[in-house]
Amino acid sequence: MSTAGQVIKCKAAVAWESGKPLSIEEVEVAPPQKNEVRIKILFTSLCHTDVYFWDAKGQNPMFPRILGHEAGGIVESVGEGVTDLKVGDHVLPIFTGECKECAHCLSEESNMCDLLRINTDRGEMIHDGKSRFSINGKPIYHFLGTSTFSEYTVVHVGQVAKINPEAPLDKVCVLSCGMSTGFGATVNVAKPKKGQSVAIFGLGAVGLAAAEGARVSGASRIIGVDLNPSRFEQAKKFGVTEFVNPKDHDKPVQEVIAEMTGGGVDRSVECTGSIQAMISAFECVHDGWGVAVLVGVPNKDDAFKTHPVNLLNERTLKGTFFGNYKPRTDIPAVVEKYMNKELELDKFITHSVPFSEINKAFELMLAGEGLRCMIRMDA
């Protein structure tokens, strides 16, 4: 019997309080309302952002909550007004959106939708300010409009990318957040030319995706910068050719890179959120044409400080959000890059656990092991 229009009971991993293991619970998932779709999640992975808000240090704690935002699934039912998605479509729910109507969505230069851009403090659906999740009548908060740590979830249609049904969801689901963020920061924003040099600050999953973008762009030198030397060997698989650990030098790392490259790299991409790394990434690019792109999210009280002459000397500083990709318009084409073997994703997925063992994924990330842990919802 069809579940469309019905409340679905299913399993979800609920965060009841800060820093405590998630609890597998039976939740009730309401039907989608206007401009919403209900999705059966097949695979989800753990991103550092999930851990950050689970730990709830430095932002507003919101519990109980169903986390998760990097996932792939199949549309189970659609709400009123949804015309470009249908039951059975293969989709990626995405933490930011594209309403296709606001000034940002109508601009070719922006992906920062007025209606649906990331809002970490919103725990309900936009349509009516209510949650679609509940346990015994008590509402459970949403997370980033996606809440993929549930066998079924409800998402605004503007946050859903319809993709090729032949694409393996257990691989391409990582494109719904980290991999697109890093890869797009390089290919869409830094835009290195073939043969140029690129420095990548931070060799976690997003930084390695940025390195992958530099490799695909034909960069001649890709310099990885990280405080953790154990990351260097793995980074070679993503095209990184040289490594710098700032702790190994008694001068600022931007000076080290300038000496290595005869005046600075052509492009740099910062993926740590450290203000010092951001300053170094900007000051290590070559004057005249160097471009630095900031990806990492700093603490709210941080301030960026550099001498204005660095800008007057024709260095360019840019910021980016989700790799400058529009979720609905652009992400299906990025999936096709994977299908056409122009983009590698398998090497980002270093671990896999069944949904019942989702807390193991948190343990791996907290221990700094691996890049992405795939969580299999049917296991």
Side-chain angles (χ1 to χ4, degrees):
M1 193 173 77
S2 171
T3 49
Q6 310 290 317
V7 171
I8 289 178
K9 289 186 176 182
C10 69
K11 290 179 181 173
V14 179
W16 289 101
E17 56 183 303
S18 168
K20 294 294 174 67
L22 304 189
S23 175
I24 305 291
E25 307 277 0
E26 183 179 79
V27 300
E28 294 187 336
V29 185
Q33 303 301 304
K34 186 177 180 179
N35 292 328
E36 296 173 359
V37 296
R38 190 161 57 185
I39 301 169
K40 178 179 174 63
I41 299 295
L42 298 181
F43 298 94
T44 185
S45 54
L46 180 66
C47 169
H48 189 267
T49 303
D50 297 306
V51 177
Y52 186 67
F53 282 87
W54 162 78
D55 201 32
K57 290 174 183 168
Q59 75 283 321
N60 296 328
M62 191 177 287
F63 299 99
R65 201 171 201 182
I66 297 174
L67 299 167
H69 65 283
E70 204 174 74
I74 298 174
V75 174
E76 173 270 338
S77 60
V78 303
E80 176 193 345
V82 176
T83 57
D84 55 351
L85 288 172
K86 64 183 186 302
V87 174
D89 282 344
H90 285 223
V91 295
L92 303 181
I94 295 177
F95 67 92
T96 186
E98 181 185 355
C99 72
K100 296 196 174 184
E101 296 175 359
C102 71
H104 283 277
C105 287
L106 295 174
S107 165
E108 291 183 3
E109 298 179 40
S110 174
N111 66 339
M112 301 190 73
C113 175
D114 283 331
L115 179 68
L116 297 167
R117 76 172 66 173
I118 185 171
N119 182 343
T120 59
D121 290 333
R122 188 171 63 230
E124 301 85 16
M125 298 301 288
I126 288 175
H127 172 63
D128 56 6
K130 295 179 181 178
S131 174
R132 303 290 175 260
F133 298 109
S134 62
I135 296 178
N136 298 323
K138 179 182 179 181
I140 308 295
Y141 288 120
H142 292 250
F143 178 63
L144 301 183
T146 52
S147 291
T148 61
F149 293 166
S150 175
E151 292 176 324
Y152 287 86
T153 189
V154 177
V155 182
H156 191 286
V157 65
Q159 291 184 237
V160 182
K162 179 182 174 181
I163 65 166
N164 184 342
E166 300 296 317
L169 289 170
D170 61 333
K171 301 293 194 299
V172 298
C173 78
V174 297
L175 289 171
S176 61
C177 180
M179 303 314 100
S180 294
T181 295
F183 188 80
T186 302
V187 300
N188 294 336
V189 187
K191 297 180 179 177
K193 298 181 175 69
K194 189 175 173 109
Q196 287 192 321
S197 57
V198 182
I200 307 292
F201 285 74
L203 298 177
V206 175
L208 292 176
E212 181 79 356
R215 183 187 70 80
V216 168
S217 300
S220 60
R221 298 175 73 179
I222 305 174
I223 302 169
V225 183
D226 201 291
L227 298 171
N228 183 353
S230 68
R231 288 178 160 174
F232 292 165
E233 192 60 35
Q234 183 180 47
K236 293 177 184 176
K237 298 177 190 171
F238 299 83
V240 175
T241 57
E242 299 157 72
F243 307 97
V244 177
N245 184 341
K247 291 193 289 191
D248 292 342
H249 302 275
D250 56 7
K251 63 177 76 170
V253 70
Q254 55 265 44
E255 294 181 16
V256 175
I257 292 172
E259 289 175 6
M260 290 171 63
T261 55
V265 287
D266 301 301
R267 304 287 187 265
S268 71
V269 185
E270 184 284 324
C271 304
T272 71
S274 156
I275 280 293
Q276 189 53 57
M278 292 179 180
I279 294 167
S280 297
F282 176 52
E283 295 183 354
C284 81
V285 298
H286 205 289
D287 58 5
W289 62 81
V291 178
V293 177
L294 306 186
V295 179
V297 179
N299 290 328
K300 59 181 173 40
D301 296 327
D302 283 339
F304 184 98
K305 184 178 179 181
T306 191
H307 199 284
V309 78
N310 288 316
L311 289 156
L312 297 173
N313 285 340
E314 299 184 5
R315 294 178 177 87
T316 300
L317 179 64
K318 292 185 173 186
T320 180
F321 170 68
F322 191 51
N324 208 226
Y325 287 118
K326 294 179 185 284
R328 299 161 82 182
T329 301
D330 298 334
I331 294 304
V334 184
V335 170
E336 291 307 309
K337 281 184 179 292
Y338 171 76
M339 298 298 284
N340 296 333
K341 296 185 167 50
E342 298 167 34
L343 171 63
E344 296 179 28
L345 295 176
D346 303 49
K347 59 193 178 186
F348 287 99
I349 300 162
T350 52
H351 296 83
S352 176
V353 297
F355 186 41
S356 60
E357 298 177 19
I358 188 171
N359 288 303
K360 280 190 178 177
F362 279 75
E363 291 167 11
L364 287 164
M365 182 161 283
L366 290 169
E369 295 181 27
L371 296 173
R372 280 293 187 264
C373 180
M374 192 58 55
I375 299 158
R376 309 185 303 277
M377 301 303 288
D378 61 352

